[in-house]
Amino acid sequence: MLIVKTTDNRQLTADNFPMEIFVYRKGSDAVEENFAVKDLPEILADRNNVVWIDFLSEKPEELACAKDVLLNVFKFHYLTVEDCFETRNQPKVEVFPDYLYLIVHGVKPEETSSANFVTKELDCFLGENYVVTFHTERFRSIKNVKQQIRNNTFACRRGASYLLHQILDQIVDLYMPIVDEFDDSINNLEERVFQMQKSNNVILEEIMDLRRSVARLKRISTRQLDVLHSISHGEFPQIPENVLPFYRDVHDHLLRISDLAESYRDLVSGLFDIHFSVVANKTNDILKFLSIFSAIWLPLSFIAGVYGMNFENIPELKSKYGYYVALSAMFFIAAALIVYFWRKGWIFQKDEEKKVDN
Amino acid sequence: MLIVKTTDNRQLTADNFPMEIFVYRKGSDAVEENFAVKDLPEILADRNNVVWIDFLSEKPEELACAKDVLLNVFKFHYLTVEDCFETRNQPKVEVFPDYLYLIVHGVKPEETSSANFVTKELDCFLGENYVVTFHTERFRSIKNVKQQIRNNTFACRRGASYLLHQILDQIVDLYMPIVDEFDDSINNLEERVFQMQKSNNVILEEIMDLRRSVARLKRISTRQLDVLHSISHGEFPQIPENVLPFYRDVHDHLLRISDLAESYRDLVSGLFDIHFSVVANKTNDILKFLSIFSAIWLPLSFIAGVYGMNFENIPELKSKYGYYVALSAMFFIAAALIVYFWRKGWIFQKDEEKKVDN
Amino acid sequence: MLIVKTTDNRQLTADNFPMEIFVYRKGSDAVEENFAVKDLPEILADRNNVVWIDFLSEKPEELACAKDVLLNVFKFHYLTVEDCFETRNQPKVEVFPDYLYLIVHGVKPEETSSANFVTKELDCFLGENYVVTFHTERFRSIKNVKQQIRNNTFACRRGASYLLHQILDQIVDLYMPIVDEFDDSINNLEERVFQMQKSNNVILEEIMDLRRSVARLKRISTRQLDVLHSISHGEFPQIPENVLPFYRDVHDHLLRISDLAESYRDLVSGLFDIHFSVVANKTNDILKFLSIFSAIWLPLSFIAGVYGMNFENIPELKSKYGYYVALSAMFFIAAALIVYFWRKGWIFQKDEEKKVDN
Amino acid sequence: MLIVKTTDNRQLTADNFPMEIFVYRKGSDAVEENFAVKDLPEILADRNNVVWIDFLSEKPEELACAKDVLLNVFKFHYLTVEDCFETRNQPKVEVFPDYLYLIVHGVKPEETSSANFVTKELDCFLGENYVVTFHTERFRSIKNVKQQIRNNTFACRRGASYLLHQILDQIVDLYMPIVDEFDDSINNLEERVFQMQKSNNVILEEIMDLRRSVARLKRISTRQLDVLHSISHGEFPQIPENVLPFYRDVHDHLLRISDLAESYRDLVSGLFDIHFSVVANKTNDILKFLSIFSAIWLPLSFIAGVYGMNFENIPELKSKYGYYVALSAMFFIAAALIVYFWRKGWIFQKDEEKKVDN
Amino acid sequence: MLIVKTTDNRQLTADNFPMEIFVYRKGSDAVEENFAVKDLPEILADRNNVVWIDFLSEKPEELACAKDVLLNVFKFHYLTVEDCFETRNQPKVEVFPDYLYLIVHGVKPEETSSANFVTKELDCFLGENYVVTFHTERFRSIKNVKQQIRNNTFACRRGASYLLHQILDQIVDLYMPIVDEFDDSINNLEERVFQMQKSNNVILEEIMDLRRSVARLKRISTRQLDVLHSISHGEFPQIPENVLPFYRDVHDHLLRISDLAESYRDLVSGLFDIHFSVVANKTNDILKFLSIFSAIWLPLSFIAGVYGMNFENIPELKSKYGYYVALSAMFFIAAALIVYFWRKGWIFQKDEEKKVDN
C-alpha cells in the first residue's frame, strides 16, 4: 500500500484527479460520489456495494496515476494494465480468476463519417462487485450512463455486470447512426455515379474511402461480436445467469451491425462495377457520336473533292445547275445517313427503354 | 393485477381492442373466441387449454395496451417485450425458463418485388399451452391460420407448439413466390441485356436494385434459418419430440430459399459481367464501323485530292477519259476494301456463328 | 385397413397399378414379383424377407393410390408422404423410429446437358427389411437395379440397406457423364472464345447458361453430399455396420462430383475473364488498324491539299516534274510510316510470339 | 485357395509377374526378394516379418492376376479392390478392422508442367506387418524406396507403417519441384504480360491453362491433406504412436503445398487483372497516338482547303509570299500542337515516372 | 557421449563456436555465460536452473556441430532436428513428451519492404527448464532479449516458457512497422494511381508486388497464429498456467496482424479496380478530345471543299465578299460546336463536381 499512499499525497490533493468513483450501497436510493483512492479498499471489501471507477486519462501524469491504482489497489494482471495503455488493440475479452478484462471500441461521432470510420478504445474490468472503465478519450456513452445512475439507481441494483451491460449497450447503440449513414452514402454515391456528367476521380476516391471504412467497420464489429458472443453465452462466471439475456441483446445488435457491414462490402464493390459500366456506356456514346460525325462528313467531303479535281473533261462542271445538284446530292446523302443511324438505334432513342420499363 | 384492471376499464370497452384470443378446450370441436384480458389468467391456468393471443398493434395506444398485457399478465422478460416494439431486429430465438421468444420476418407481398425486397416482423412467444403473436402490420399468413382453426380444430389438437408451426409454415410459404420472381427477374434482365439497343443506365439501376434485394433476402433467410435450425434440432424443451419433424419441414423450406438466395447472388453478379461484355462487344462493333468508313473514304478522298492539285504538268488531267478512269479506280478501290473487310469477318457475318451452334 | 381394401377393390384389378413389389425370401435364389397390396402386411411381417416396393406415379389417380398405401399400410409420417408429392424439395434425409426417409436427385439424361442441368426427385423409405421408392418420373437407374436383381439375387442377400445402396449408386453413377460433359463444354467454349471472329452474344449466352447449370449442380450435389455424409458416417441405426463402406463409396463419388462442380464454377467465371480479354485485344487491333490507316492517308491528303492551293506564286507547280516529285514524296512518306508501324510492332507480327513460345 | 492355384499355374511361371515381394525378417540386415504368391500366407503369418508387396499392373492380364491376389490372399474388402482398378478416384483413406486403405496421388513428372498438372493414383493397404501398393503406372518414388531398402534395412526396422511413410514422403517430395515451377511460371507470365508488344491470345491461353492446373493442384492437395490429417492425428490403430511424428512431417509438407496452391490461385487471377490493365493502357496509348495525329493534320488540311477555294477575291492568294506565309503558319500550328500535347503529358514522357520511382 | 567428446575436442577450442549458453541459477541476480558443451548435461540436470542455448549457424561446419549437440546432448527427435536444417518450413508447433518444438518466422527488416515481404526461420525447443533457439540468420529480436537478460534477470525468473515468450514477443513486435508500411504503400499507390499522367506499367508492377507480399504476409501470419493459438490455449503441458496470459498477448498481436493482412488483400485488389477505372476515365477523356477535334474540323474542311469545287456556275465565288462570308460562317460553326460541347459537359467543366462535393 506504500506506493498508493505516496500517490495519494502527491496527487489526490490536485483538482484534476482523473478518476470518478460511484458507489451504490444496497437498498440506498442514490449513488454516492466523491470518494478518494484511499477509500477504495474499504468500499470494495463490502460485497454488498456496487462500485464503478471511471478513469479518464488524457495526460501522461494521469496515466501514471491510473496505472498505479490499477496495479496496486485492484491488483490487476500486469499485462491487462499494459494493454490499457497501448492504443492499437482490437476488441477482446480475457478472463482471470477474480475479474474479466475486456476491450471494446466505440465510434468517435465527431470524426467518424462513412468516408472515415474511426473508433476509440474503452478498457473494462468487471469484478464481483465493481466495474472499472479506463479510457483516454471522452465517451458520450459513459457520460450518458453516469447521468442515468445519478437520476435512478435502477441500473446499479442488479449488480456490477448489469452496470457494465448498460455501458456496452450505449456504446453499441452509437454505432447505429453510423451504420445508417453508410447506407445513405452508398445510395448517394450510386445515384451520383449514374448521373455523372464527366469521368472524374472524385467519385472514385469517395468509393475507395467508403471501401476502407466498411472494411474497418467489418473488422472491428467482427471482433467485438466475438467478445459479446463469449460473454453472452455464459462462458464467464463473473456474469450471473439472469444478466445474460441483457448481454445477448447487445450481442444481437452487434450481429445486425456485422451482417450489415458484410452486405455493405458487397454493395461497395458493386459501386465499382456500376462506375465501370457507366463509363463504358459513355465510351460507347462518345464513339457513336464520333462515328456518326465522321460517317456523315467524310462522304460529303469526298464529293466536294471529286468536283474539285482539275480534269479538263468533267461534264458536270459545265452544267448550269451542276453546283446545285451536287449540293442537293450531299443533302440527301446526309439525310439518308441520319435515317440509317436512327434506324440502327444510335440516335434519337434517349427515353424509349425507360418508357417500356416503367 | 392493478395495472391490468386500469387498462381493462379504459380499453376493453373500446371496439378497437388490438388483441384476439382463441381458446381450444381439449376434446372440444371448435375454438372459442371473444375473451377479455381479465379472463386470461384463468384460461392459461388450465393446462389442457391451447390458447393463442394475437396482438395487432398499429397505433400508439394499442402498443401501450399490448405492452401492459405482455409484461403484467404473461410476465415476459422486459427485454423481449422491448424487442417487440423495436422495428429493426433480425430473426432470432431466445429461450427462457417458461417460454420461447422468437422474431421471424415475413415478406410484405404488396410492396415486395425482386427490385425491392421488404419484410415485416412477427414476434412470437411460445409457452407450455399458449402462443402469443405480436405484430404492428397485418400478416396474410396469420389471417389464414385464424381461418383454418375456425374451420377445423385439427391444428390446435397437437398443442401450442404445433399451432406456432402452422403460423411459421404459412409465413415461409409466402417467400416462395418472391423467390420465383427473383428467378424470373434475373432471366428477364439477362435477356434485356443481350438485346439492349443502346447503352443505358436503366438496366444497370435495375441490376443494382436486384443485387440489393438479393443481399437482403440472403441476410434475412440466413438468420431465419439459424432460428429454425435451433428449434428443429430439439434444443428447446417447449417443443415436444413429436412436433419436431414439422419444424424440420419448415427448416428445409427455408434452407432451399437460402440456397437459392446464394445462387441468385452469383447470377446477379454474373449480370454485371454480361452487361459489361455486351457493351464491350458493342464498342467493338462501333469501332469496326468507324474503321471501315474511314478506311474506305480516306483513300478515295486522297485520289480526289491528287487530281485537285494545281501542277501545270499532270498528263492525266488532259486525257479525255481521265475523269472516268479516276472514278472507276475509286470504285474498284472501294469494292476491294469492302471485300477485304468481308474476308476479315468485319462485315456481312451476322448470323453465321448462330447457325453453326444450333 | 378399411381404406386399403376399398382401394384394393377399385384399383388392384386395373392393369396400370403404379407399383411393383419385389420379395426376396432368405435363401431363395430368385426374387418373387406380382404381389398385391393386400399381401404386403404379411410379407413385411416376416423379418427374413427383403422387400422392395417401387411406386411410379405419373397420373393423379396413381398418386392418390400411392398416398393411400404409404399412409395406411406403411404408416409413414404424414409429412414425409406429403414431401413425396411436392416437387421442389432438395436432397435430404430424415430419421424416424422405424424407418429412414430420404430424397435424392437423379439427372434427367434426355433433357440434361451442360447448358441445362435438370434433375428429378426420388423419394426413398428404408425400413428394417424393406425399401420403398417413390417417383413421378422414370429412372434408368431403377430399371437397371430391377434388371440386376431379377438376374441375380446378390444385391438382396445383404438386406434392404444394401439394396438401397445399389439404387443410390446407380443414380450417382449417372451424374458422371454429365460432369464430364461440363468439362468438355468449358474447354469447347474456351476454344471458341479464343477463335471468335466477331464479338457476339451467342457465346456469352452459352457461358451464362453454363454458369447457371454449374450453380445448380453445385447446389444439388452439396445437399446430396450432406445426405450421404450423414448416412455413411453411421448416424442411422437402419444401416448396419457392414453396409457402411458401400455408402461411403457412394459418398466418395459424390464428393468428387461436388469438388469438380466447385472447380467448374471457377473455370466458368474464368471464361468471362477470357472473353473479356479477347474482346479487349480485338478492340486494340481495330484501333491500331484505324490509327495506321488514318496516319498514312492524312499526311498524303495534306500534301495533295497544299498543292491544290490557289496561290499565284507556288514555284513547284510550274516545275515540269513537280507532279512526279510530289507523288514520289507521298510514296516515300507512306513507306516510312509503314516501316515505323512495323518497328513499333503494330503490323506484320502475327505469329512471332507463338513461335517463341512453342 | 483354388483360384490362386490356378492363377499360380498359369502365371507364376511367367517372367513378367507384375508383383514384387520384399520381406524383412526381424534382426536380419538385408531384405529378401523373389518370393512367389504361394509363399505369402506363410510369410504374412509371422508377425515379426515386415512385408511389402508392390503390384505394377499395366496390362489387363496383370490386373486380373493382381485382383485375384488382393481378394483371395489378402481378403481385402471387395469395394477397396474395386477402387484400385477405377482410375478416377480422389485421395482418400478408409479404415477396416485389419487394415487401412488409402489412395494417394503422385505427380507424373514427365507429363506434368505448370500448364498441365497431371497425377497418377497409388493405392496402399497397410496391415499390421505388411504394406501393399498397387499402381498401373510407374512411380519414381517407389523405385527410390526399393533402392533404399535394398541398400539399408533402416526403413523396415520400424515396421510396416514406417515403410509406408517412406513411400508417401517420397511422393510428396516430388510435388515440390512442380510447386516451384508454378511460382516461376507465374513470374514469367507476369513479366511477359508487362512486355507484350501486341495483344495476343497465346498468353491468355497460358494463363487459363495455369489456372486450370492450379485448380487441380488445389483440389488434389486439399483431399490429400485431409487423408494425411486423419492419419497423422492418430485416428487409426494401424499406425503406432511413435510413427505419428513422421506422418505429421508429411502432413506439414502437404500443408505448405496446399497453402501455396491457394495463394497461386490468387496470383493467377491477378494475372488476368494485369493483362487487362496492360491492354487498357495500350488502348489508351493507341488512342492518344490517333488523337495526336488527327489533331495535327486536320487543321493543316483545313488551311490548305481554305486556300484551295475558288473565290475570285481572296487577297492572300495574290500576295507574292502568300504561299510561304501559309506554309509557315502550318508549321507553327503543328509545332504549337506538339508543344501542347507534350505539356499535356501525352508525348515525350516515356521514362519519367520510372525515374521518379527507382 | 562419444560423439560429443569428439566434437568437443575438434571444435570447442575454436573461437567461433556457434552457440551461446545463458544460465540463470535460482535466486541469483545475474545470468552466467561462457559455458561449454561439456557442461550442458550437468547444468540441465539441475531443474532449478533456467538455461537458454542459442545456436547461430551460418556456415556448414557450424551446422554439423549444432546438429551433433541437438541430437546427442538434447536427444531431440531426429525429425525436428532435420526440420531445423530445412529452410522452407512454415510456422508450426509439435509436442513431444519432454519438449515442445516450434518454428516461427521473423521479418528480415533490412530486406523486407511492402513490395517484398521476406521472412527468416527461428526454430525453438522448449523443455522443462531450458529454451533452445536455432537460426541460420541473425535476429535483432534475439539480440534484444540477450541484452535484456544481461541487464535484468526478470525474464528468467518466471522460468523457461516465459523466456521463450519474451523472444516470440520481440519477433512479433518487429512485424508491426512492416504492417504499417503496407498501409502507407497502399495509400501512396492509390494516390499515384489517381494522379498518374500517363498509363504506365510501373504502378501495375508495384501493385502486383504488393499483392504478392500481402499474400505472403497473410499465409505466414495465419500459420503463426495457429501456432500461438495452440500454445496460448493451454494445449501443452510445458507452459504453466500463469504464463499463458503472456502467450495470449502475443496471440492477440498476431491476430491483429492477420486481420490487417486480410483487409489489405481487399484494398490491394481495390487498387486494381481503381487503376482500371482511372484508365477507363482517361480513355473517355481522350475520345472526347478526339471527337471534339474531328467534329470541329470536319465540317469546316467540308465548306472549304465545297468552295474548292470547279463548277463553272457557283455564284458565291464571284461575290466580292464571298471569301469573308465563308470564313465568318466557318468561325460561327466552330463557335456553335464549341458551345454545344460545353453544354454537353465535355469541355470547360474540370473542377465543378469537385466544388459541389467539398
Side-chain angles (χ1 to χ4, degrees), chain D residues 158 165 176 179-180 183 186-187 190 193-195 242 245-249 252-253 255-257 259-260 262-263 266-271 273-274 276-278 280-285 287-288 290-292 294-296 298-299 301-302 305-316 337 340-341 343-346 349-350 353-354 357-358, chain E residues 77-79 82-83 86 88-96 192 196-206 208-209 211-212 215-216 219 223 226 265 269 272 275-276 278-280 282-287 289-290 293-294 297-298 300-301 303-311 314 316-324 326-327 330 350:
Chain D
R158 301 201 185 185
H165 150 262
M176 289 296 180
V179 166
D180 289 344
D183 209 14
I186 293 171
N187 281 328
E190 188 188 330
V193 168
F194 279 129
Q195 284 165 3
N242 69 322
F246 295 96
Y247 280 92
R248 273 209 296 275
D249 199 57
D252 291 339
H253 288 167
L255 184 62
R256 184 161 178 271
I257 292 168
D259 278 7
L260 284 171
E262 182 60 40
S263 64
D266 259 35
L267 292 175
V268 170
S269 86
L271 285 179
D273 289 343
I274 284 183
F276 215 55
S277 299
V278 168
N281 280 348
K282 279 199 189 309
T283 304
N284 260 5
D285 290 341
L287 279 172
K288 278 182 190 164
L290 178 61
S291 300
I292 293 165
S294 306
I296 291 174
L298 283 178
S301 286
F302 167 70
V306 164
Y307 292 111
M309 293 196 293
N310 296 322
F311 285 102
E312 288 184 354
N313 179 22
I314 304 183
E316 298 94 313
L337 281 164
Y340 172 77
F341 288 119
R343 284 285 173 88
K344 215 175 154 80
W346 287 17
Q349 280 216 325
K350 291 241 150 137
E353 164 93 22
K354 217 151 198 159
D357 291 334
N358 301 338
Chain E
H77 193 287
Y78 178 74
L79 269 175
E82 209 171 42
D83 271 347
E86 273 178 28
R88 304 199 333 170
N89 289 303
Q90 304 209 104
K92 70 169 179 179
V93 59
E94 254 180 279
V95 64
F96 291 88
R192 274 168 57 206
M196 69 184 169
Q197 287 302 318
K198 57 184 300 285
S199 55
N200 69 69
N201 290 343
V202 180
I203 286 179
L204 281 174
E205 281 177 54
E206 288 187 41
M208 192 70 180
D209 286 346
R211 178 175 236 170
R212 212 183 285 271
R216 225 174 284 145
R219 183 156 58 80
R223 290 291 156 225
D226 290 352
R265 195 161 66 168
S269 86
F272 273 109
H275 182 276
F276 216 54
V278 168
V279 171
K282 278 200 189 310
T283 304
N284 260 4
D285 289 343
I286 299 170
L287 279 172
F289 176 88
L290 178 61
F293 232 92
S294 307
W297 293 113
L298 283 179
L300 304 193
S301 287
I303 292 173
V306 163
Y307 292 112
M309 292 195 295
N310 296 323
F311 286 104
I314 304 184
E316 298 94 312
L317 295 181
K318 279 139 198 162
S319 146
K320 197 173 174 189
Y321 302 109
Y323 175 53
Y324 302 104
L327 282 188
M330 287 170 182
K350 291 240 149 141

Side-chain angles (χ1 to χ4, degrees), chain E residues 186-254:
Chain E
I186 293 171
N187 281 328
N188 173 270
L189 269 172
E190 188 188 329
E191 216 165 294
R192 274 168 57 206
V193 168
F194 280 129
Q195 284 165 2
M196 69 184 169
Q197 287 302 318
K198 57 184 300 285
S199 55
N200 69 69
N201 290 343
V202 180
I203 286 179
L204 281 174
E205 281 177 54
E206 288 187 41
I207 298 177
M208 192 70 180
D209 286 346
L210 198 59
R211 178 175 236 170
R212 212 183 285 271
S213 275
V214 168
R216 225 174 284 145
L217 173 65
K218 176 81 193 137
R219 183 156 58 80
I220 294 295
S221 64
T222 303
R223 290 291 156 225
Q224 201 124 306
L225 193 64
D226 290 352
V227 169
L228 263 300
H229 186 89
S230 308
I231 299 179
S232 68
H233 284 68
E235 288 184 17
F236 305 118
Q238 281 84 355
I239 299 177
E241 189 81 17
N242 69 322
V243 177
L244 285 183
F246 296 96
Y247 280 93
R248 273 209 295 276
D249 200 56
V250 181
H251 171 264
D252 291 339
H253 288 166
L254 261 176

Side-chain angles (χ1 to χ4, degrees), chain C residues 190 252 259 270 276 284 310, chain D residues 92 212 223 276 283 307 309:
Chain C
E190 188 188 330
D252 290 340
D259 278 9
F276 216 55
N284 260 5
N310 296 322
Chain D
K92 71 169 178 179
R212 212 183 286 271
R223 289 291 156 226
F276 215 55
T283 304
Y307 292 111
M309 293 196 293

Side-chain angles (χ1 to χ4, degrees), chain D residues 17-63:
Chain D
F17 186 72
M19 169 175 162
E20 285 185 85
I21 299 174
F22 298 83
V23 178
Y24 169 77
R25 297 190 194 273
K26 205 178 177 179
S28 134
D29 54 346
V31 292
E32 300 171 39
E33 296 186 54
N34 298 321
F35 292 88
V37 167
K38 65 173 189 289
D39 309 324
L40 271 176
E42 190 192 345
I43 297 169
L44 291 169
D46 182 349
R47 296 296 180 201
N48 282 323
N49 293 343
V50 172
V51 191
W52 176 18
I53 304 98
D54 178 50
F55 293 90
L56 171 59
S57 305
E58 285 171 322
K59 297 176 207 143
E61 67 269 20
E62 295 172 348
L63 283 172

Side-chain angles (χ1 to χ4, degrees), chain C residues 200-213:
Chain C
N200 69 69
N201 290 344
V202 180
I203 286 179
L204 281 175
E205 282 178 52
E206 289 186 42
I207 298 177
M208 192 69 181
D209 286 346
L210 199 59
R211 177 176 238 172
R212 213 183 285 271
S213 275

Side-chain angles (χ1 to χ4, degrees), chain B residues 26-81:
Chain B
K26 205 180 179 179
S28 137
D29 55 346
V31 292
E32 299 171 41
E33 297 187 54
N34 299 319
F35 291 88
V37 166
K38 66 173 187 287
D39 309 324
L40 271 177
E42 190 193 345
I43 296 170
L44 291 169
D46 181 350
R47 295 300 181 199
N48 283 323
N49 292 342
V50 173
V51 190
W52 175 17
I53 304 98
D54 178 51
F55 293 89
L56 170 59
S57 304
E58 286 171 321
K59 297 173 206 143
E61 68 268 20
E62 294 172 349
L63 283 172
C65 170
K67 193 169 186 175
D68 191 20
V69 176
L70 292 175
L71 282 175
N72 295 301
V73 180
F74 289 98
K75 315 273 183 213
F76 290 141
H77 195 287
Y78 177 76
L79 268 175
T80 59
V81 175

Side-chain angles (χ1 to χ4, degrees), chain D residues 58-103:
Chain D
E58 285 171 322
K59 297 176 207 143
E61 67 269 20
E62 295 172 348
L63 283 172
C65 170
K67 193 172 185 174
D68 193 19
V69 176
L70 293 174
L71 282 176
N72 295 300
V73 178
F74 289 99
K75 314 273 184 214
F76 290 142
H77 194 287
Y78 178 75
L79 269 175
T80 57
V81 175
E82 209 171 41
D83 271 346
C84 289
F85 296 94
E86 272 178 29
T87 55
R88 307 198 333 169
N89 289 304
Q90 304 209 105
K92 71 169 178 179
V93 59
E94 253 179 279
V95 65
F96 292 88
D98 294 338
Y99 62 96
L100 208 63
Y101 170 63
L102 49 139
I103 302 177

